[in-house]
Amino acid sequence: MKFEYDYLVVGAGIFGSVFAYEAKKRGKKVLVIDKRDHIGGNMYTKNMDGIHVHYYGAHIFHTSNKEIWDYINQFAEFNNYINSPIANYKGKLYNLPFNMNTFYQLWGTKTPKEAMDKIEEDRKNHFVENPKNLEEQAINLVGLEIYEKLIKGYTAKQWGKDPKDLPAFIIKRLPLRFTYNNNYFNDRYQGIPIGGYTQIFEKMLEGIEVRLNTDFFENREKFEHIAEKILYTGAIDEFFNFEFGHLEYRSLAFDHQVLDVENFQGNAVINYTDLETPYTRIIEHKHFDDAKSKHTVITYEYPKKYEIGSEKYYPVNDDKNNEIYKRYKEKAAKESKYLFGGRLAEYKYYDMHAVIISALAMVKNEFRDKE
Ligand code: FAD
Ligand code: UDP
């Protein structure tokens, strides 16, 4: 049977776009579809009043992998932005991640020894052997006071669950350091693409046919016959018609506002770590790249319960969901026409650089014999 395309790529996010770019480079004919009205997936940035708005939440590129850093730099020049969010807990401000500045703001401690003694005293009163959940893990790491002021409320809002019912790994993402260093990440390379993320996708998809507002499931049969192979980067449970049950996700709502002020909050990211404030963070986009504008654009990020039909932002990687995913994964491995990748198809809390690593590994595997 002769197919119109070598590859159909479902999803114009970073996984699908890297794959499409690499396939085209190898002479393959590729069609990319996305159900949204734009390319870029959750990395999409929209130009609003001259400011590149991170439309689906703040995206800071960071990696320690030089190969990946060089790879993404082919498509855009990055600035030297360092993410240094601030936490607002009941009107008081604290630096993040947890570092000497935070400890000074909490307790007035000035030396690492003073801060370590303070945390140690708190930790030892509440220490749990073999922490089994996010709450136990966090208290073991930073003690009860930091947990209650900077973690508990934020986490409960973000995930819509008691931190006792969440996996410990989520909190391991955050550094704890005894230096005056507000860099949220420990990675060697970090930045924001000058001109926004969308241009990266425009370059990756140059010369490739892209159909937007096109949902794979609305025409599944047609799409199955259009290409020899299909890379699917949408939700895995949906692909298999929820045969083993619905996977759980956490959704978000973004409220973008253009304000007639030059500088609203003085920082790109401010987290609201109490339980009562309904949003988790306010993003002021111009501070990502020092945009010169008399206006500013801010985004309130509200955590939201996932309901069928709403956007799936975060997989909930607890034991129950991971078990369900395992069954989908086994089934997916038997589909010889299909490849599966990305945060939705792999049901994984994935950073951008890790998605690129994974997409390039798939490229290597897929084109091994054919280059
Ligand atoms: P996506 O970007 O979700 O792309 C999948 C695409 O598939 C979507 O465009 C979707 O519309 C399309 N699609 C799905 N189903 C179908 C269908 N049936 N038919 C057609 N199209 C379909 N990572 C970092 O490294 N740093 C950060 O600071 C960071 N911040 C984040 C903040 C938030 C709020 C969120 C939610 C994520 C953040 N991430 C961050 C993670 C980052 O967004 C992901 O790693 C990356 O975007 C995943 O790319 P992807 O291609 O796997 O998925
Ligand atoms: N977190 C927190 N307080 C904060 C920021 C983060 O408790 O001020 C916790 C929360 O559980 C969150 C996790 O750390 O889900 C990971 O945070 P990160 O900022 O890495 O999450 P993302 O940007 O992916 O939402």
Side-chain angles (χ1 to χ4, degrees):
M1 185 171 173
K2 184 90 185 79
F3 294 98
E4 198 179 338
Y5 299 91
D6 298 311
Y7 288 92
L8 167 69
V9 173
V10 181
I14 190 72
F15 197 106
S17 300
V18 165
F19 186 90
Y21 173 79
E22 294 294 334
K24 177 175 182 276
K25 217 163 79 178
R26 288 162 174 79
K28 302 296 172 195
K29 191 172 175 204
V30 184
L31 170 65
V32 177
I33 62 168
D34 202 296
K35 63 181 176 185
R36 293 181 178 169
D37 63 1
H38 58 75
I39 55 175
N42 284 346
M43 288 166 63
Y44 171 66
T45 46
K46 182 175 179 162
N47 192 333
M48 290 170 77
D49 277 87
I51 294 167
H52 299 288
V53 174
H54 296 214
Y55 209 68
Y56 300 97
H59 277 71
I60 298 101
F61 199 96
H62 58 96
T63 182
S64 289
N65 185 322
K66 176 141 183 9
E67 227 177 280
I68 296 305
W69 182 244
D70 289 343
Y71 187 83
I72 198 73
N73 274 268
Q74 291 176 77
F75 305 101
E77 189 184 337
F78 279 68
N79 67 14
N80 59 353
Y81 177 81
I82 297 286
N83 197 31
S84 310
I86 286 169
N88 180 324
Y89 177 73
K90 298 192 191 256
K92 271 202 81 177
L93 303 182
Y94 302 91
N95 286 108
L96 290 174
F98 315 120
N99 74 82
M100 288 300 292
N101 290 310
T102 330
F103 309 141
Y104 178 71
Q105 289 145 356
L106 280 162
W107 309 307
T109 51
K110 295 187 188 72
T111 65
K113 168 134 189 8
E114 283 170 20
M116 277 179 207
D117 287 350
K118 183 86 188 143
I119 291 184
E120 199 41 49
E121 188 190 309
D122 186 345
R123 252 193 323 213
K124 89 171 174 260
N125 293 331
H126 306 98
F127 194 82
V128 184
E129 286 291 342
N130 304 319
K132 284 179 298 300
N133 57 53
L134 195 153
E135 176 166 302
E136 292 175 0
Q137 174 74 41
I139 294 173
N140 277 6
L141 207 67
V142 293
L144 191 64
E145 186 176 349
I146 294 185
Y147 171 69
E148 289 196 326
K149 290 188 170 159
L150 301 179
I151 299 174
K152 190 178 180 179
Y154 186 96
T155 300
K157 284 194 292 194
Q158 167 78 340
W159 295 95
K161 282 182 195 265
D162 190 312
K164 286 194 198 75
D165 298 326
L166 284 164
F169 83 88
I170 294 175
I171 202 69
K172 290 187 192 153
R173 289 168 63 88
L174 302 193
L176 164 71
R177 25 177 124 88
F178 293 91
T179 51
Y180 289 92
N181 176 0
N182 298 326
N183 186 345
Y184 200 59
F185 303 112
N186 283 326
D187 282 320
R188 170 74 180 80
Y189 308 102
Q190 183 174 171
I192 300 284
I194 298 165
Y197 283 97
T198 305
Q199 59 172 328
I200 293 178
F201 294 87
E202 285 163 359
K203 286 188 197 142
M204 283 182 179
L205 297 173
E206 207 178 297
I208 295 174
E209 186 181 342
V210 178
R211 294 186 202 161
L212 298 175
N213 302 304
T214 305
D215 191 326
F216 175 70
F217 296 111
E218 276 173 15
N219 253 313
R220 185 172 184 155
E221 214 174 314
K222 178 185 109 187
F223 285 126
E224 296 213 317
H225 292 102
I226 213 171
E228 188 175 350
K229 287 195 89 172
I230 300 175
L231 165 62
Y232 176 80
T233 72
I236 191 84
D237 52 352
E238 195 176 359
F239 183 87
F240 290 112
N241 219 357
F242 309 103
E243 189 180 329
F244 305 125
H246 285 261
L247 287 164
E248 201 182 340
Y249 299 90
R250 188 70 178 149
S251 199
L252 296 168
F254 298 104
D255 177 15
H256 307 293
Q257 296 189 6
V258 182
L259 302 183
D260 200 13
V261 293
E262 202 163 330
N263 186 358
F264 173 74
Q265 63 181 19
N267 203 40
V269 184
I270 300 196
N271 292 357
Y272 287 78
T273 57
D274 65 299
L275 188 63
E276 293 73 29
T277 306
Y279 41 86
T280 44
R281 35 193 176 188
I282 302 179
I283 309 301
E284 188 171 14
H285 302 270
K286 70 186 325 182
H287 298 306
F288 284 127
D289 59 2
D290 256 332
K292 303 284 173 261
S293 166
K294 289 261 169 263
H295 308 283
T296 196
V297 183
I298 62 166
T299 301
Y300 291 87
E301 186 174 320
Y302 293 88
K304 202 172 125 192
K305 186 172 165 22
Y306 172 73
E307 274 150 7
I308 293 166
S310 46
E311 282 286 348
K312 307 168 174 76
Y313 286 104
Y314 293 99
V316 180
N317 285 114
D318 59 11
D319 293 344
K320 179 175 149 255
N321 286 294
N322 287 344
E323 265 317 300
I324 299 175
Y325 169 65
K326 220 172 105 195
R327 300 183 69 189
Y328 285 122
K329 188 180 175 192
E330 280 160 10
K331 191 152 176 153
K334 296 190 189 117
E335 296 274 349
S336 58
K337 188 182 173 82
Y338 281 92
L339 300 162
F340 297 88
R343 71 179 181 108
L344 294 170
E346 294 177 72
Y347 195 63
K348 202 165 168 183
Y349 190 179
Y350 241 161
D351 275 335
M352 297 179 273
H353 64 280
V355 176
I356 298 175
I357 293 174
S358 170
L360 289 175
M362 180 181 283
V363 166
K364 205 165 165 193
N365 193 43
E366 184 65 13
F367 299 107
R368 197 175 30 194
D369 309 320
K370 305 167 194 164
E371 269 181 84

